[in-house]
Amino acid sequence: MDVRQLEYFLAVVDHGGFNRAASALYLSQPSLSQAIRALERDLGSDLFHRIGRRAVLTDAGTALIAPAREAVRSLQLARASVESVHGLRGAGWTSRPRPHRPSSR
Amino acid sequence: MDVRQLEYFLAVVDHGGFNRAASALYLSQPSLSQAIRALERDLGSDLFHRIGRRAVLTDAGTALIAPAREAVRSLQLARASVESVHGLRGAGWTSRPRPHRPSSR
DNA sequence: TTTAATTACGAACGGCGTAATGATC
DNA sequence: GATCATTACGCCGTTCGTAATTAAA
């Protein structure tokens, strides 16, 4: 699984279809379709019912929405945490380097 | 950024070095080194001070630990949420399919 | 000299776009 | 026929391992 795939999944959910989602992601429909397929294969469950040319959420898909948003959010937070250490740029040198258990072994 | 990279990062932190971490991940040291480099480049900050042959956390690296664990955890939770819908396997068919705003446009 | 980390290079994999196919409205 | 989704195929970027290099203990 991959966060990028979750973002794609959420885009399909939020835009109500592969076509709209692909446009919003600046991605081609085939690529999006492949990505979703790969995610479904990885999870072992279909996330959408393909009804003709319409994509409808399965129960598994519905269950994924909330934790997917959470995962995306937590990754953004991780990036923000690093950036908050310094406005941007370079390597700080504040905390004193401590040897990592130089003792046993 | 990528969750895999965060897992690698956490492995280095938890095992106290690239070598140990690489072994634990069943990965070669060079590949791990590259992955960490890529992560640092992506974040715009060094995560470790390279003191001789020792890797010591920078402030940015320290700041990343907690949110990284959170991100990894949330992704595991996302997978678990899908699996919990059915023991494993196939596509459920419970929630009725509703058309996605067939109206305007 | 032994151990830890990096750099160099080549191979394998994955993600993307374009083109072509299937299917529904 | 027009639109939405899927396969087919080729390309490029990324990731990995092996081998060679650097550096510290």
Side-chain angles (χ1 to χ4, degrees):
Chain A
M1 186 164 39
D2 188 351
V3 179
R4 181 184 46 83
Q5 291 173 315
L6 294 183
E7 289 173 337
Y8 289 1
F9 165 73
L10 292 174
V12 174
V13 171
D14 292 337
H15 293 91
F18 282 68
N19 217 320
R20 306 278 183 83
S23 295
L25 293 168
Y26 299 98
L27 195 71
S28 68
Q29 296 93 338
S31 298
L32 181 57
S33 183
Q34 285 181 343
I36 299 294
R37 282 292 188 199
L39 179 58
E40 290 175 321
R41 201 157 13 84
D42 176 47
L43 293 174
S45 299
D46 286 358
L47 299 173
F48 298 96
H49 297 296
R50 274 71 170 188
I51 312 258
R53 60 188 200 185
R54 182 168 292 166
V56 181
L57 280 166
T58 62
D59 288 353
T62 303
L64 182 59
I65 295 178
R69 294 201 199 280
E70 173 64 25
V72 171
R73 178 177 180 75
S74 68
L75 206 69
Q76 294 173 338
L77 196 143
R79 165 167 269 115
S81 298
V82 171
E83 289 178 353
S84 69
V85 171
H86 39 8
L88 251 298
R89 275 230 49 83
W93 191 268
T94 319
S95 58
R96 69 195 188 298
R98 286 243 278 103
H100 183 273
R101 310 283 290 103
S103 55
S104 64
R105 202 244 185 253
Chain B
M1 187 164 37
D2 188 349
V3 180
R4 181 183 48 82
Q5 292 174 315
L6 294 182
E7 289 173 337
Y8 289 0
F9 165 73
L10 291 174
V12 175
V13 171
D14 292 337
H15 293 90
F18 282 69
N19 216 321
R20 307 278 185 82
S23 295
L25 294 167
Y26 299 97
L27 197 70
S28 68
Q29 296 93 336
S31 298
L32 180 57
S33 183
Q34 284 180 343
I36 298 295
R37 282 292 189 198
L39 178 58
E40 291 175 321
R41 202 157 13 84
D42 176 45
L43 293 174
S45 299
D46 285 358
L47 299 173
F48 297 97
H49 297 297
R50 272 74 170 187
I51 314 261
R53 59 187 201 184
R54 183 168 289 166
V56 181
L57 280 166
T58 62
D59 288 355
T62 304
L64 181 60
I65 295 177
R69 293 200 199 281
E70 173 64 25
V72 171
R73 179 178 178 75
S74 68
L75 206 69
Q76 292 173 339
L77 195 142
R79 165 168 270 115
S81 297
V82 170
E83 289 178 352
S84 69
V85 171
H86 39 6
L88 251 297
R89 275 230 50 84
W93 191 266
T94 318
S95 57
R96 70 195 190 296
R98 285 246 275 106
H100 184 274
R101 310 284 290 105
S103 56
S104 64
R105 205 249 183 241

